[in-house]
Amino acid sequence: MKRSMILSLLFIWGGIMYVNGQGFLKVQGQDIVDENGEVFILRGMGLGGWMVQEGYMLQTADFANPQHKIRAKIEETIGATATQEFYEAWLTNHVQKIDIDSLKSWGFNSVRLPMHYNLYTLPIEDEPVQGQHTWLTKGFELTDSVISWCKQNEMYVVLDLHAAPGGQGYDAGISDYDDTKPSLWESKANRDKMVALWKRLAERYKDEPWVAGYDLLNEPNWNLPGGTLLRQLYVEVTDSIRTVDADHIIFIEGNWFANDFTGLTPAWDNQMVYSPHKYWSLNDKGSIQWVLTIRNNFNRPLYLGESGENSNVWFRDAIRLLEDNNIGWAWWPMKKVEAIAGPLSAIKTPEYETLLNFWRTGAGSVNADFAKATLMTMADNFKMANCVQQPDVRDAMFRQVYSEETKPFKNHSIPGVIHAPDYNMGRNGFAYFDNDAATYHVSTGNYTAWNRGWAYRNDGVDIEPCQDNVNTNGYNVGWISEGEWMEYDVEITTDGVYDVNFRMATPAFEGAFHLQADGGDISDLKYIPSSGGYQTWQTVTISNVVLTQENQKLRFYSDGNEYNFNSMEFVRTGPTTDVPTEFLSATTVNARVIQLNINKPLSTNLPTNPSDFEIFVNGVSKTITQYEVDGDNNRILYFTLDHKIDAREVIRMSYSGSQIEAKDGTVLQDFTQEEVQNDVPILHTVPGRVEAEEYFYQLGIDTENTTDNGRGKNIGNLDQGDYLDYMLRVPTQGTYDIRFRTAAPSEQGEIKILQIDRDGIGTLLGTYSFDPTGGWQTWTTTSSSIKLPHGEYQLRVEISQAQFNMNWFEFSLVTSNDELEDASGLNVFPNPGKGLYVVETEWDKISDARMVVYDMTGKKVLQRAFKDVRAIQEEIDLQNQPNGVYTVRLENEAGQQMTTRILKE
């Protein structure tokens, strides 16, 4: 008995020690660290809309944005008692233990709890004794619950004062500011109440290590010259907390929605973290450099307290950017009505739409009983069990951040129906491709709808409610453009020949598409006839598609524009032997390799001699040096030529033989002079003109007919961040005149030109701006200069300021650097050599220097830096590089440059 009691006491004591043994998160230099001193990245979700209702989350923003107006509208409709019942249900249902359990299972390690002060204490206007503070139980009880649920899941809580006494900003929606009463900044009594509230919270949670810290004030946005008053309030709150709590982190947000830290540096507490917010901006290091500079200058960690309200593409890129730069984050929000950009969406009932319309316009007849029942249903709809889950959102926030792999959104079995919006989950360019995939309008000034239908999913694919009554899940993909595609993981249960019935709608005649499987075409191009409207649906059938159990990824590829796509139904019509084995399509892979797509999987017993095939370039037969089956898709054959294909050459292919068999025993049918799609990038030789539309890759660009001299096409619809890639051949290194042909009604345009190496890293060659011309087709020529290295390489034209059109740009040689290359005082020996060389030179004076070696494509293959040197004698090793010509360039801080060429043989 005693032994059992002792063991029980030891177990209880051990459990208490386990819980209490959890240490506080701490600030250590520029890091937040755990109890073991390991860097800890907070990955959190903001519980927005729970304690502080915001109008946009409830779709009341146009007539009742801050919470006090929302509550007043409700009370006016259903009365004070029923309103109190609604808010009790709201606070009970919106966040429960199952929500925290789910966040943990999805990968989150923390939550940010946005608090409304009026759940913890009375407003100053309602205090029975002015200057005193009446404490309410509701807010503390709700906070206790969240902390308890998080503690059970080993998750941290950031306490965030989201609505401060009086309201901290002109934007009333986020702070519940009432402009008929004094704000936080206009009332010392309100500021005193904020100080007292934080001390009360610190007293209550000072010993709780699962509280990560205190976010003192969410997004102040008030005219506070120099940040003096903001700093004074922050310091006063910090001091009050430190009288009772020496351990917890203090999170500090700047003015103007958290991002103006004027007056808030340097830090005044050794456990202080700066907490900016980030929305709708570019996800490059430049976009956060300003806060990285604050971190570096003042040796403080960073925590992004809010971000979100964008596409999955933006989420993935932003989180990768933050974590690569050791910045924790909390996303916003967890739930709202009809959300696609969050992990959970509350269902909007028809009754709630009726109530919103009544509030908005006064139209219709809504009584108190109807309104109360509607509101109580909406409160119930915010329970986790009643919300629609958005798995694509959380997949983008966690798995996609570090993985290029795709995974099914839904399971697809063939024969059967696949709904168009149920494509795979994954990154843009891997699971799907869409031209508009996120909005960056804070950086670019141009808003782009990443999902123009605002429905079902949060990727770049444009999805809308569907009015079709055949094979629909209620949504269709729309606004489809040429080159966009969606991929679906499938299980083929039965090999065979299939008819595929596509449900399509379009008022135009520009639609076309085809099917691919595992990287190769499996159908011909199919054109879509006009159905008379975007919701007037018809069936478009592709017949004789061969599918086998080897096919695992199907891709719907758009070859046209202006149509809607609802579903595709796969109907088996017979065994694979019902159709012959035949040519489907062919395309270039690169300048020497051609891909042939066959409609069926091929046998492994292929002849070693490809003599039955013939490839013609501009009508001339070319030698095939090698052919082979694709290792992952045995419908694909690759042919290597002894000829380097030019982008403007016409390629055709023929076959006559009997040795190529499909796996089902049927023989490949002869074909004659079938066209091979030539996708080899145009190689633009410099000096010369580059037509803007002759890119080999683009992002976000459209083309249109031009009225400029020579007619043809120009590029347009440009936004900041869009770009075009061209292949350049520059035989002569040197300085070139560069001229641009542009047009714009009123805005100044700007581009950056970069040389892109094989690793995708760009070197800036120049920045160029263009004045407006008064019209989209009013053209002018702007001249400047650029230094171009020699070789064949990828040139990127990146739009850094829009809007404008461009017709062409051209290069004219001004001065050549070739004559300097072997007379510069830079010596390399042996030259030619086998890969080991010694480079030596002598500068006029001591200086820091850099040596870079490039191959003939302009790729950087070696780089060295030298400190405080005058003479250099350095060994370089190119033994692992292919034979050919290399350029060695030396430059120093004094501006001296030396260049020479070496030959490896």
Side-chain angles (χ1 to χ4, degrees), residues 398-413:
F398 289 98
R399 188 187 63 84
Q400 291 177 34
V401 176
Y402 296 101
S403 173
E404 294 178 348
E405 293 183 5
T406 66
K407 62 183 297 186
F409 180 75
K410 295 281 181 69
N411 293 323
H412 302 299
S413 181

Side-chain angles (χ1 to χ4, degrees), residues 498-794:
Y498 287 79
D499 282 352
V500 189
N501 300 315
F502 298 84
R503 293 294 289 175
M504 299 291 189
T506 176
F509 293 90
E510 302 176 37
F513 66 95
H514 71 281
L515 282 179
Q516 298 177 338
D518 307 312
D521 294 344
I522 60 169
S523 82
D524 290 324
L525 184 69
K526 187 72 175 182
Y527 291 95
I528 307 170
S530 172
S531 65
Y534 286 116
Q535 288 296 327
T536 303
W537 293 92
Q538 63 182 335
T539 298
V540 178
T541 300
I542 296 181
S543 298
N544 297 330
V545 175
V546 175
L547 293 173
T548 70
Q549 295 178 45
E550 296 162 299
N551 302 130
Q552 298 180 350
K553 292 183 182 293
L554 292 186
R555 180 175 293 184
F556 176 92
Y557 190 95
S558 176
D559 301 283
N561 304 290
E562 298 300 319
Y563 62 96
N564 288 350
F565 170 34
N566 173 21
S567 64
M568 45 188 171
E569 179 186 22
F570 294 80
V571 179
R572 188 176 185 273
T573 60
T576 63
T577 52
D578 279 2
V579 298
T581 302
E582 57 190 3
F583 172 98
L584 265 184
S585 62
T587 183
T588 57
V589 176
N590 55 44
R592 291 194 181 275
V593 178
I594 290 172
Q595 174 179 325
L596 169 63
N597 300 305
I598 305 297
N599 70 327
K600 293 184 185 181
L602 297 176
S603 166
T604 56
N605 299 319
L606 293 178
T608 58
N609 187 346
S611 59
D612 292 341
F613 291 93
E614 195 166 10
I615 296 174
F616 303 87
V617 178
N618 291 340
V620 178
S621 179
K622 298 297 180 182
T623 302
I624 300 171
T625 60
Q626 181 181 349
Y627 91 121
E628 59 184 337
V629 180
D630 184 281
D632 297 318
N633 185 347
N634 55 5
R635 296 174 185 238
I636 296 174
L637 287 172
Y638 294 115
F639 298 84
T640 303
L641 304 182
D642 69 349
H643 170 78
K644 186 174 183 181
I645 300 169
D646 183 86
R648 295 176 175 86
E649 292 179 321
V650 176
I651 310 167
R652 295 191 178 277
M653 190 173 194
S654 298
Y655 170 77
S656 58
S658 58
Q659 299 185 65
I660 305 295
E661 281 191 1
K663 293 183 74 173
D664 64 7
T666 57
V667 176
L668 177 63
Q669 300 293 294
D670 293 354
F671 56 88
T672 303
Q673 294 290 311
E674 292 284 1
E675 183 179 355
V676 177
Q677 182 174 321
N678 189 347
D679 288 333
V680 173
I682 295 175
L683 189 59
H684 302 279
T685 300
V686 174
R689 176 173 294 186
V690 178
E691 295 292 341
E693 70 274 16
E694 291 185 341
Y695 50 80
F696 73 88
Y697 186 79
Q698 60 84 15
L699 182 67
I701 307 296
D702 287 337
T703 62
E704 62 183 354
N705 294 326
T706 182
T707 63
D708 195 14
N709 297 333
R711 305 299 182 178
K713 299 281 188 179
N714 65 257
I715 61 167
N717 194 27
L718 311 179
D719 295 310
Q720 185 174 347
D722 295 347
Y723 63 86
L724 308 104
D725 288 340
Y726 304 87
M727 288 303 298
L728 243 60
R729 176 193 286 135
V730 184
T732 305
Q733 174 178 292
T735 300
Y736 288 78
D737 280 338
I738 183 169
R739 301 197 306 153
F740 302 92
R741 191 70 170 168
T742 62
S746 57
E747 300 291 330
Q748 185 177 56
E750 183 185 84
I751 63 170
K752 297 180 185 297
I753 294 185
L754 304 97
Q755 179 188 355
I756 308 297
D757 67 21
R758 290 178 180 175
D759 297 321
I761 298 171
T763 299
L764 182 65
L765 300 180
T767 301
Y768 306 93
S769 59
F770 320 114
D771 292 331
T773 63
W776 290 115
Q777 290 294 324
T778 303
W779 295 91
T780 190
T781 303
T782 303
S783 298
S784 188
S785 65
I786 189 171
K787 290 184 178 180
L788 294 178
H790 71 275
E792 292 183 7
Y793 47 82
Q794 178 180 340

Side-chain angles (χ1 to χ4, degrees), residues 336-468:
K336 64 180 181 180
V337 175
E338 288 190 319
I340 65 167
L344 296 167
S345 176
I347 296 172
K348 180 183 180 181
T349 65
E351 293 79 10
Y352 187 59
E353 180 63 38
T354 299
L355 181 59
L356 290 176
N357 287 334
F358 173 73
W359 280 340
R360 188 176 291 114
T361 66
S365 177
V366 171
N367 60 37
D369 290 340
F370 173 88
K372 179 183 177 183
T374 297
L375 289 167
M376 295 302 285
T377 298
M378 287 306 298
D380 197 58
N381 283 353
F382 272 82
K383 289 179 178 177
M384 165 71 76
N386 296 330
C387 284
V388 176
Q389 294 198 22
Q390 310 285 151
D392 57 303
V393 173
R394 59 180 189 259
D395 187 68
M397 295 177 65
F398 289 98
R399 188 187 63 84
Q400 291 177 34
V401 176
Y402 296 101
S403 173
E404 294 178 348
E405 293 183 5
T406 66
K407 62 183 297 186
F409 180 75
K410 295 281 181 69
N411 293 323
H412 302 299
S413 181
I414 293 176
V417 174
I418 296 176
H419 299 115
D422 291 339
Y423 56 88
N424 285 350
M425 293 189 294
R427 298 185 194 175
N428 190 27
F430 294 88
Y432 67 94
F433 176 74
D434 194 276
N435 287 317
D436 299 318
T439 181
Y440 307 96
H441 62 268
V442 168
S443 296
T444 66
N446 295 293
Y447 181 79
T448 302
W450 64 86
N451 183 328
R452 299 185 194 183
W454 299 113
Y456 196 59
R457 294 178 66 173
N458 195 45
D459 294 313
V461 177
D462 303 306
I463 301 173
E464 65 179 345
C466 181
Q467 297 174 20
D468 193 10

Side-chain angles (χ1 to χ4, degrees), residues 158-221:
V158 175
L159 301 183
D160 153 43
L161 185 55
H162 214 78
Q168 66 269 27
Y170 301 114
D171 190 334
I174 62 175
S175 65
D176 201 18
Y177 166 54
D178 184 345
D179 60 7
T180 68
K181 299 175 182 178
S183 72
L184 177 71
W185 311 110
E186 297 165 323
S187 166
K188 186 176 186 304
N190 274 326
R191 295 194 294 278
D192 288 345
K193 184 170 281 288
M194 175 176 160
V195 173
L197 173 57
W198 272 117
K199 182 176 180 180
R200 188 81 171 189
L201 288 164
E203 286 174 335
R204 192 177 187 95
Y205 303 118
K206 65 181 186 301
D207 296 323
E208 181 47 71
W210 291 108
V211 171
Y214 309 132
D215 186 345
L216 299 189
L217 189 62
N218 178 73
E219 292 192 353
N221 55 101

